């Protein structure tokens, strides 16, 4: 079983630092993506491109992580507070980051935003 708590916090740290190399090291080369920009996509390069565009538009950081996982550690849900700035001002909202893992490597990454 992967140490899901460590993986979750490493992903959040990489996102907040805009360290796409560190993030890419945690994901499968064909990682499935959704909730980051429009539609879905696959691959490390798509991951980098989507997050670069997202952070350029939102200047978002993630805090207050609550990490939950299934017993084998294959599915991890992270409840986050996303704080950022848009042209209209600052915001704070809840997001869920879903990670699916295989042998400790992220095979799927999806963001869900609360209303």
């Amino acid at each position: 079983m992967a140490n899901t708590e460590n993986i979750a916090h490493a992903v959040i740290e990489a996102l907040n630092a805009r360290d796409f190399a560190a993030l890419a090291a945690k994901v499968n080369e064909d990682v499935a993506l959704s909730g980051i920009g429009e539609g879905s996509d696959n691959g490390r390069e798509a991951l980098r491109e989507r997050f670069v565009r997202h952070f350029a538009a939102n200047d978002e950081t993630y805090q207050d992580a609550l990490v939950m996982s299934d017993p084998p550690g294959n599915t991890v849900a992270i409840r986050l507070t996303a704080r950022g700035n848009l042209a209209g001002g600052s915001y704070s909202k809840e997001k869920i980051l879903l990670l699916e893992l295989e042998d400790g490597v992220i095979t799927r990454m999806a963001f869900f935003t609360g209303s």
Side-chain angles (χ1 to χ4, degrees), residues 14-15 17-25 47-52 55:
L15 290 171
R18 311 305 191 249
D19 187 346
F20 301 110
L23 187 57
L47 176 75
R48 187 191 66 75
E49 290 173 5
R50 283 174 177 257
F51 274 117
V52 165
F55 289 131

Side-chain angles (χ1 to χ4, degrees), residues 9-10 12 14-15 21 25-26 35 48 51 55 60 66-68 73-74 81 88 91-93 106 108 110 113:
H9 287 288
I12 295 163
L15 290 171
K26 301 268 182 233
R48 187 191 66 75
F51 274 117
F55 289 131
E60 192 169 72
L66 173 62
V67 180
M68 301 160 278
N74 296 326
T81 303
Y91 63 87
S92 177
K93 58 186 168 184
I106 300 167
R108 179 175 182 230
T113 304

